[in-house]
Amino acid sequence: MPCVVVRYHEIALKGGNRARFVQRLMSNLRDATTGLGVVAAQSLQGRVLLRLADGAPIATVCERVANTFGVANYSAGIEMRVDLDTMRAAVLAAARAEPFTTFAIRARRADKTFPLTSPVLAGTLGAAVVEHVGGRVDLEHPDLEITVEILPKAAYVSGGKRPGPGGLPVTSSGRVTCLMSGGIDSPVAAYRMMQRGCRVDFVHFSGAPYTSRASVDKAYDLVEQLTRYQLRSELRVVPFGEIQSEIVARVPRSHRVVLYRRMMLRIAAALGQRGARVLVTGESLGQVSSQTLENMQTIAAATPALVLRPLVGMDKTEIIQQAERIGTFATSILPDQDCCTLFTPAHPTTRASIAEAEAAERLLDVPALVAQGVAGAVRKQFIFPPALAVRHLKPEDDERAHPRSA
């Protein structure tokens, strides 16, 4: 039977909590591969086995597995009975499936009742490949790597291990709310929190009614891309332009940016759903004027919510490289109009104190502005893959409820 063998690493270190993490990983794998012919998911010794129907699109299944957090590596292969002749035939078939000059057999005997040790089994199968297919053994840098694993009730032969994203299964670490600007940084920050097992909700602050929908459409696209990693996402779009104009009319020019950010954190915390009151930002220390130590401290003091900054120690080159790897960079650099550039002073303060910010905010009706932002927020739900969306997406969450501009 065709199968995909999924292996994990960090989950194996969870001791008494390991079973819970494994079950979450299995659930996420089942959801990610919905509609692709996965007939069963089973927890085995240190791995998860996905059994596939004949004719299942193995390449697509592997693509979904490769984007599932908690997966250290995986192999597409064949499940068979524990029999040397059967395993030899499967290894020869794998060797004939693609051209190679050098190869290696990686054997692992988890079932110690099997008479051949792992090195002896690898040598026996390797000799068969040399005799019947050809090639030269290279254990360091082979062109082709074939993995053979023996468990108590079955054996698995596959064409080598492919890397997964690692980390922890999404939702195993709780829920957070990410401020999604539409730029390069915040999608990477969200991805890094997903990799640590968090389900990420999103809040985007648009410049409406003073700007176009360009930033909103970018936020939609970015969240849609990130949903491929966590399968379900919620985005709330807050029209922030009028709130900004109120701040502009009443507070000193130099402190506007800090007060914008403090107001955003308050609104995002108020929108946090089902425990997602931990806030995530894409701030990187010293990258822009609002991201100095002093300003970060003053901005975070606006809310009792924990503010996490996964990128705080990364430079722009590192962030761009990760954005390119996860597929968000091309969208992030598209031109748009967002609230970050609306009413921005030429020389914003880089060392705003908490006392200065609180004094300026006494000129505002802060609770009313927060309530205005929360009331104006528009919610959109994203689900991946499409087959999973058919089962879970409610009519009021469909794209038709909040049509995008052409």
Side-chain angles (χ1 to χ4, degrees):
M1 171 179 282
C3 65
V4 176
V5 180
V6 177
R7 304 171 193 87
Y8 47 82
H9 173 65
E10 191 171 353
I11 293 174
L13 308 177
K14 294 301 179 181
N17 293 318
R18 176 174 171 175
R20 177 172 64 86
F21 283 86
V22 171
Q23 288 300 316
R24 173 48 56 189
L25 175 60
M26 290 175 61
S27 176
N28 290 351
L29 286 168
R30 282 192 293 263
D31 284 350
T33 57
T34 298
L36 296 180
V38 175
V39 297
Q42 181 181 358
S43 176
L44 300 175
Q45 295 178 355
R47 68 211 73 198
V48 172
L49 177 70
L50 301 180
R51 291 189 175 91
L52 309 182
D54 290 336
I58 294 179
T60 305
V61 172
C62 289
E63 179 185 345
R64 303 281 177 83
V65 170
N67 286 336
T68 301
F69 291 118
V71 175
N73 58 71
Y74 64 92
S75 303
I78 303 293
E79 181 182 29
M80 64 200 68
R81 69 179 185 274
V82 183
D83 174 78
L84 182 58
D85 290 337
T86 304
M87 288 186 285
R88 182 186 292 111
V91 167
L92 293 176
R96 293 185 177 111
E98 55 184 286
F100 66 93
T101 301
T102 60
F103 74 97
I105 306 292
R106 312 293 190 192
R108 183 174 184 271
R109 184 188 60 155
D111 178 10
K112 303 306 180 184
T113 64
F114 186 74
L116 302 183
T117 64
S118 297
V120 171
L121 177 61
T124 300
L125 297 174
V129 172
V130 172
E131 179 182 356
H132 296 283
V133 182
R136 177 172 54 84
V137 174
D138 182 351
L139 300 180
E140 298 296 327
H141 304 288
D143 300 329
L144 174 65
E145 185 176 272
I146 300 174
T147 300
V148 180
E149 299 179 274
I150 299 178
L151 274 63
K153 295 183 179 181
Y156 304 90
V157 173
S158 58
K161 297 178 181 179
R162 308 296 183 188
L168 299 173
V170 168
T171 76
S172 63
S173 297
R175 197 162 184 149
V176 300
T177 298
C178 179
L179 281 68
M180 173 66 75
S181 69
I184 298 170
D185 302 339
S186 50
V188 176
Y191 176 91
R192 292 173 73 88
M193 294 308 300
M194 293 176 193
Q195 191 174 38
R196 299 314 306 154
C198 290
R199 166 68 56 78
V200 181
D201 293 331
F202 299 90
V203 178
H204 174 72
F205 293 87
S206 79
Y210 301 111
T211 60
S212 71
R213 280 186 53 90
S215 75
V216 176
D217 289 341
K218 276 183 65 175
Y220 278 8
D221 287 341
L222 288 168
V223 173
E224 186 171 29
Q225 292 171 46
L226 290 168
T227 302
R228 298 179 68 90
Y229 299 102
Q230 69 170 3
L231 308 183
R232 299 175 181 85
S233 301
E234 291 184 0
L235 167 66
R236 284 175 168 78
V237 177
V238 177
F240 198 61
E242 291 183 348
I243 296 173
Q244 285 181 275
S245 67
E246 181 70 12
I247 293 173
V248 168
R250 297 182 180 274
V251 305
R253 179 186 299 269
S254 61
H255 284 60
R256 288 178 187 172
V257 173
V258 169
L259 266 61
Y260 295 162
R261 299 288 295 173
R262 283 169 61 91
M263 195 66 67
M264 288 178 184
L265 290 189
R266 291 187 179 101
I267 294 170
L271 288 170
Q273 297 294 306
R274 285 168 281 180
R277 296 188 180 277
V278 175
L279 303 180
V280 176
T281 74
E283 293 167 299
S284 173
L285 183 61
Q287 187 175 129
V288 296
S289 60
S290 66
Q291 296 176 16
T292 62
L293 284 176
E294 294 86 353
N295 282 359
M296 285 183 180
Q297 182 180 20
T298 297
I299 292 167
T303 172
L306 175 64
V307 180
L308 300 178
R309 303 176 179 89
L311 312 185
V312 69
M314 298 177 67
D315 64 31
K316 197 66 176 182
T317 299
E318 294 173 308
I319 297 169
I320 289 173
Q321 289 172 346
Q322 183 150 28
E324 291 173 334
R325 286 196 299 271
I326 67 176
T328 58
F329 180 75
T331 300
S332 293
I333 61 175
L334 293 174
D336 67 349
Q337 291 179 296
D338 66 8
C339 66
C340 296
T341 57
L342 187 63
F343 307 132
T344 299
H347 303 288
T349 181
T350 59
R351 295 186 176 182
S353 69
I354 296 175
E356 290 170 345
E358 291 176 343
E361 286 175 342
R362 284 195 283 271
L363 302 173
L364 303 168
D365 187 345
V366 172
L369 292 176
V370 172
Q372 178 182 334
V374 172
V378 175
R379 173 178 175 268
K380 173 146 178 60
Q381 187 179 39
F382 299 78
I383 297 181
F384 180 85
L388 188 64
V390 169
R391 295 209 312 261
H392 293 279
L393 193 61
K394 299 176 183 178
E396 62 268 25
D397 295 323
D398 191 80
E399 182 67 42
R400 290 169 295 181
H402 309 299
R404 296 168 61 173
S405 59

